[in-house]
Amino acid sequence: MTNFAQQVLEEVTRIPGVRGALLVSEDDGLIVAEALMEGVDGPAVAALAASLTGRLGRATRALGKAAPVLLHLQATGGAVFSAAGGEGLLLVAVTAADVNAGLVRLSLLDAAGRLS
Amino acid sequence: MSDDIQTWSAQLASDPGSLVFLPLAEALRRRGQLDAALAVAQGGVSRYPELADAHDLLGRIRSDRGDTALAQEAWTNALRLQPDLVGAHKGLGYLCYRAGDLQKSLRHLESAMELVPDDSQAQAALQRVRGLLAQPLRPAVGDPFEGGEAGTLLVDSQGRRLGGVMLRSDGTDASDAMAAELSGVSREARRTVRLLGLGEWHSLYLETPGMNLVMQEPRSETLLVLARGPEVPVGRLPLLADRATTLARRWMDKLG
Amino acid sequence: MRAIEPWVEGPLTTFLTESSARLVLLMTSAGQVIAQHGFTRSLDVMAAAALGAGIVASTGELAKLLGPSPFGALVHQGTNQAVFLAPFTTPRGRWIGLVVYGKETSLGLIQLFFNRMVEDLSQSAPVEHARRAVLAENFEHELNASLRALFGR
């Protein structure tokens, strides 16, 4: 699992502008596997992305929907993506602001599907 | 829940003619396993084409998947078989609401209320639709029917609804529950980008089975949420959100 | 939140706000309480501080037996809440943080903001003055004074 996860994360990081990809436990917000560029604070990304995903999952359940399959937080200096990876895991990516968001989205959904 | 699903799956496997497909598909739908729910429900409808409840279930699943036309077809079939099926009236009431046909939505919800007068979900949806019909203008925050929109909601930092409406797929009003759960999302988004050194956040997109949502902060500590069915391309969401945010700012400026 | 040393209040308040922890106790490695949040009875604080310091001491010894690297944080996950216990170094010596948290937050957030609090404490600590030895004859007096400060009594 870990080798396969590592391979999947590295595929995500090949997209230009992706600064790191992590497999994160949704409940704990801890890193399970990571492929990060220098300067990316992995534990912070994991904890914050899991927390935001969990909070928004409660909101979508209030709407009668399942938890989000994909979250994309866009900021002026970059973006955070989080995809449900099955078995309580999240696939998280941190990117530059000018990344191809469509490509990251598809790549994460594909990777999350393979990890599920 | 998963125990029930396992039990019902085993029952259905050993007896494909069992009516257990009804609770099984509903349980899968509630868990968001819409593909599996659809497969089970379609199997049930093929086996029991005259069972209105099976068509009603199919309508709920297709509505959750965002297959509006197919959901409408399923609920119409359900009503043809059983004109007093409350679930189908509520489902069609919701679809008509989403399509902007408030008069038709009103008729279906009134039928549901006549059949089950103490149905609080139908009552809440009916009040919402009556309220919208009574307003000279549509809800202040954007136009909830534009672009197949499933709802627009403006929330303050305390988790209270400032404007707009958000309905569940069964037509019940989720606005206040959503508002309460969204309290703190702006703060958390701001904290996330601050601690990761990503500047200022401006949009948050969520994809769920059957519905996509986009959130922006028109003013500090307020959150605007737009929900759209999957028929609206993902790339259009930022444009719609930007426009709704501009409208929301104007509206709040008018309030002072 | 109550702290014996005022400079601890800022970092601890930030930690509480960001982490959503339910209970927090900061103590020296000898079990002397520095600050607390969420405890309502002084007896609980004293017991928690003594037990927390004891656990850190015993796991430290266990780590020495098992290998060259010392243990970091210790986490006990319960059904409804969890306990996070971690020693850390400050300009005032080795301290211990005991944090109780629930499902409203996560271990990742607790660790993230705990580490930031440790950094903040290092930066906020005033220049050290000569440390007084805690003598047996004035220990009880010091303890009572600390508890008065921690509970505002």
Side-chain angles (χ1 to χ4, degrees), chain A residues 56-80:
Chain A
L56 290 164
R58 289 193 290 277
T60 56
R61 277 192 288 278
L63 191 55
K65 298 288 174 191
V69 291
L70 189 89
L71 176 156
H72 169 190
L73 173 61
Q74 183 64 50
T76 51
V80 179

Side-chain angles (χ1 to χ4, degrees), chain A residues 27-30 41 44 47-48 51, chain C residues 77 106-109 111-113 116:
Chain A
D27 286 346
D28 294 335
L30 298 177
D41 185 347
L48 296 166
S51 176
Chain C
Q77 184 69 57
S106 68
L107 175 56
L109 286 178
Q111 276 186 339
L112 174 66
F113 292 110
R116 285 174 186 261

Side-chain angles (χ1 to χ4, degrees), chain A residues 35-115:
Chain A
L36 300 172
M37 280 189 188
E38 190 71 29
V40 178
D41 185 347
V45 174
L48 296 166
S51 176
L52 189 59
T53 306
R55 182 186 284 272
L56 290 164
R58 289 193 290 277
T60 56
R61 277 192 288 278
L63 191 55
K65 298 288 174 191
V69 291
L70 189 89
L71 176 156
H72 169 190
L73 173 61
Q74 183 64 50
T76 51
V80 179
F81 293 77
S82 165
E87 296 181 17
L89 295 175
L90 296 173
L91 188 56
V92 178
V94 188
T95 75
D98 57 352
V99 75
N100 181 334
L103 192 55
V104 175
R105 171 181 175 272
L106 289 177
S107 171
L108 282 185
L109 290 174
D110 173 60
R114 286 155 61 202
L115 287 168

Side-chain angles (χ1 to χ4, degrees), chain B residues 73-74 86 90 108 130 140-141 149 163 170 193 215 222-223:
Chain B
E73 183 186 312
V86 177
K90 282 160 64 176
H108 279 295
R130 279 181 178 152
V141 183
E149 192 171 331
D170 61 5
V193 298
M215 302 177 191
T222 61
L223 192 70

